[in-house]
Amino acid sequence: MQRGLFIVFEGIDGCGKTTQVKLLAERFNKLGQDVVVTREPGGTRIGGQIRELLLHPANGEITHRAEALLYAADRAQHVGEKILPALRAGETVICDRFTDSTLAYQGGGRGVDSEFLGCLNELAAPNVSPDLVFVLDMPPEVAMKRLVGKKSAVDRLEAEDLQFYKRVRETYLVLARKSPARCKVLNAQMTVEEVHRQVCNYLGGLSVEQL
Ligand code: TMP
């Protein structure tokens, strides 16, 4: 059986990824295709516990490397328990964040060295890389305003300052420039419908069935 398609959405907090994941999954479903929708961190039961640990505002003393290792542990569980079995069964997987989040947040944001992070990503997800990554790009100033308007409480990562998010955004753009065939940058300041239309157009252009 042919391996399924692995699609990932990336971007800074508040960029609208989660909405786009949902809309794309609904689009596949409307066309009669089942998809596996998942996220990092927290795509599995164990990952849910790691997510709690990572994002709890009281865990501010976590070291940068320990943080990176926990994201990698979440990913190893996620890949082994959910992503790889689904892809091997020929299913399409749509994932909210994957390895590029580690390079952008822990690398660009925290300054952890990229060699260490590259090794971690490879250990957590050996030979598993997305077929397509949509980077929803938006200035952090705009994303932060959206987050504040939407939520009653912010988690540990969302509480980072603007400079942190500027570095994360810049790293995403650098990663996208390095892999233009795999990584598509979309302007996330367009309407939700317009971003969704561009996602579908792009997939359609790659001959993904009927999208
Ligand atoms: P979410 O709110 O988009 O689900 O993501 C949770 C937070 O985790 C978000 O602030 C980004 C962060 N994150 C990392 O710092 N490194 C990673 O590898 C992943 C997957 C997420």
Side-chain angles (χ1 to χ4, degrees):
M1 178 179 286
Q2 203 187 338
R3 192 164 153 150
L5 190 68
F6 186 19
I7 303 167
V8 171
F9 283 82
E10 293 279 2
I12 60 172
D13 295 79
C15 70
K17 275 178 300 90
T18 311
T19 305
Q20 292 301 327
V21 165
K22 195 167 153 266
L23 287 175
L24 183 60
E26 284 170 6
R27 176 99 182 120
F28 272 105
N29 291 159
K30 269 190 206 137
L31 296 167
Q33 265 184 268
D34 284 341
V35 288
V36 173
V37 175
T38 190
R39 68 168 179 178
E40 288 195 358
T44 61
R45 189 184 65 79
I46 289 170
Q49 295 174 47
I50 300 174
R51 182 183 174 94
E52 279 275 302
L53 195 65
L54 277 164
L55 301 186
H56 199 290
N59 289 340
E61 79 272 29
I62 193 167
T63 68
H64 292 172
R65 284 191 170 221
E67 182 185 77
L69 284 158
L70 282 170
Y71 279 111
D74 168 75
R75 183 162 301 130
Q77 184 67 30
H78 192 207
V79 166
E81 181 183 326
K82 203 166 179 181
I83 296 178
L84 213 43
L87 293 176
R88 283 190 178 137
E91 293 180 89
T92 295
V93 175
I94 307 176
C95 191
D96 190 330
R97 301 194 179 283
F98 197 60
T99 43
D100 287 340
S101 277
T102 294
L103 301 178
Y105 278 76
Q106 280 63 56
R110 304 277 191 230
V112 176
D113 76 84
S114 52
E115 212 175 307
F116 174 78
L117 297 175
C119 282
L120 274 190
N121 278 345
E122 189 46 40
L123 287 169
N127 303 317
V128 182
S129 55
D131 299 296
L132 259 178
V133 179
F134 291 106
V135 175
L136 304 191
D137 181 56
M138 163 181 285
E141 292 86 342
V142 179
M144 292 297 103
K145 271 199 198 125
R146 284 166 46 136
L147 269 184
V148 170
K150 251 198 314 212
K151 286 193 175 181
S152 51
V154 291
D155 67 36
R156 192 176 62 81
L157 270 284
E158 287 164 355
E160 287 294 339
D161 65 14
L162 218 54
Q163 289 311 316
F164 174 85
Y165 280 108
K166 284 187 176 165
R167 295 194 298 275
V168 174
R169 179 193 192 193
E170 193 45 46
T171 309
Y172 273 130
L173 296 177
V174 169
L175 291 171
R177 277 198 291 273
K178 277 189 194 158
S179 313
R182 186 184 65 103
C183 222
K184 177 88 184 144
V185 179
L186 299 176
N187 174 4
Q189 290 190 88
M190 297 181 299
T191 63
V192 167
E193 294 75 24
E194 181 57 19
V195 174
H196 176 58
R197 201 182 61 75
Q198 293 207 3
V199 166
C200 292
N201 275 353
Y202 193 69
L203 285 165
L206 295 180
S207 308
V208 174
E209 255 175 78
Q210 295 169 322
L211 273 169

